[in-house]
Amino acid sequence: MMAKRTSNSIQHLCKYWSLQKYVFTALLLLPLSVRSVPVSVRKGRSSFTIGNCVWVVDRPCPDSEIRFYLFTRSNPDDRQYIHIDESWEASNISSSYFNPAHPVKVIIHGYNADMFLTPLINMKGEYLQRANYNLIYVDWSELAHGPCYPSAVHNTRHVGKCIGQLVQRIIDAGTDNIHLVGFSLGAQVTNYASTTVRPFRLKRITGLDPAMPLFITAAADDKLDPSDAEFVDVIHTNALVQGKIERCGHVDFYVNGGIMQPGCWSSGQNPMACSHHRAPDYYAESIRSLTGFWGWSCQSYIYYLLGFCPQNNLQVVAGEDCQPGTEGMFLITTNPAAPFAIGRWSGFSIPQKKDSVLHKHGLNRDPFISDIDQWGKLDGSFNNADQFPTPYSQDPNPADDDEWPYFNHVGTKQLTKVHIKKILEQDRSRFNGDDRLPVASTLATVSSPTQQSPYDHEVDEAFHLQDLRRRLQQKEASVMQHYAMPMYNAH
């Protein structure tokens, strides 16, 4: 009888057909051993609860369970509560640290989380070290806690409506440079914020692994899509599990295939949760990364599964510096641990299995690549062109700020000194003859005795040419030695 009364109460409260499907889903998720579920109605706030799950029916904004907090360079550690109301006068933006001259970033967490989720808080530090920003964090954790996923999905519409009110007050402050960044279910919230402020169109929305459950068959106005902003960029890291596999933006980046992330199977952690949370991890690193998350183009995910998307030179950068106007699908590979970015892909890549075989036989390069590139010009280290940042050309701060910190927390001055010292040591060892390659005695090679530089700090042209000729001869001898090995002469 008690269960029957509960069912009648639920049917009476579900006034809207769109709400009934979420309630039905919630009841299916309840354990079979539970015979009754406590139901309470908050008439003053137009919501009701089933167990611990809050279902918002028709609440107005502002809502005390949806809070906004501001961080700027003036208050990088102490969050400032922002009250948003129906009018500019009733709101307190004008008396806060908010500066309309600076870009606005609105960061929205997802299901069963809050604004203090580690990668989201990491974004604060990265942004404020990069430049001046108004960082507004949305905390709607009271309407998104577990195990109430169906009710959290239902509440996204209300949360988006209140964020839309925030956007309107920011516009009243004198700026429309607004960028919404949503993670998981928070990425789907951005859609409702966008529809609330129409006909105004947001400048940019970034979706970090947008949530998939209960959004597979959703209509365009009920999920993140390219119509929600002038530019929508999306990063996929846990597709088909917690995130969506389908494209959601003008440009979609599928990192390491978009489903499982490297490094998420270690230390006994949940690989699914780890892969899902890599999306904000990657984005936080991209804010100040000099290396960058570069992706190459792919026509579709089906093409990727069929192996039709090899690495190519049509590459764009993902993350904070993704350029508006970029369109298409792109694939990215990363390192298994931070720093994750590996930069722009270039040249030939040797599959890992083949590379391990080469090292087994003592070879550093594929002999077939050596045949078409005898001098290693396709190698990243040719002519000392190692993968190293160029601090002064990319430093956004004044030149006299020698200790401007990069993502790896190394200052400009220290970074440059280390690099120069490395180059000087390489040159010193070369002039002393330390870099001579071992050559088999059976090979016909031409070697010249090591000569000391005629000057301590300068090298004349004749000495430079002679030294270059010696190194080229040694490279040629090394290639010949590779082909002389028995494994290549067997019939």
Side-chain angles (χ1 to χ4, degrees), residues 273-292:
C274 171
S275 296
H276 190 46
H277 284 76
R278 281 293 175 85
D281 283 333
Y282 296 151
Y283 189 85
E285 181 176 327
S286 76
I287 295 172
R288 292 194 304 129
S289 173
L290 293 177
T291 306

Side-chain angles (χ1 to χ4, degrees), residues 427-439:
D427 290 343
R428 188 178 299 109
S429 64
R430 178 164 60 86
F431 294 143
N432 293 332
D434 295 339
D435 67 335
R436 298 186 61 182
L437 301 176
V439 180

Side-chain angles (χ1 to χ4, degrees), residues 112-180:
N112 202 24
D114 56 28
M115 60 171 285
F116 294 104
L117 188 69
T118 300
L120 300 186
I121 288 297
N122 288 343
M123 292 182 194
K124 172 176 67 77
E126 297 301 317
Y127 270 126
L128 295 182
Q129 290 187 68
R130 172 173 171 145
N132 278 300
Y133 291 96
N134 298 297
L135 301 179
I136 300 178
Y137 280 74
V138 181
D139 193 334
W140 62 291
S141 55
E142 294 297 324
L143 302 178
H145 60 76
C148 307
Y149 185 78
S151 64
V153 171
H154 169 74
N155 294 335
T156 55
R157 183 185 299 273
H158 173 60
V159 178
K161 179 181 177 181
C162 293
I163 294 177
Q165 190 177 75
L166 167 69
V167 171
Q168 291 170 339
R169 298 293 80 81
I170 293 174
I171 296 173
D172 293 340
T175 181
D176 62 353
N177 188 1
I178 305 171
H179 177 194
L180 304 187

Side-chain angles (χ1 to χ4, degrees), residues 75-88:
N75 62 317
D77 299 318
D78 299 325
R79 59 180 182 171
Q80 185 178 43
Y81 173 72
I82 300 296
H83 175 72
I84 301 298
D85 216 310
E86 295 181 354
S87 66
W88 170 259

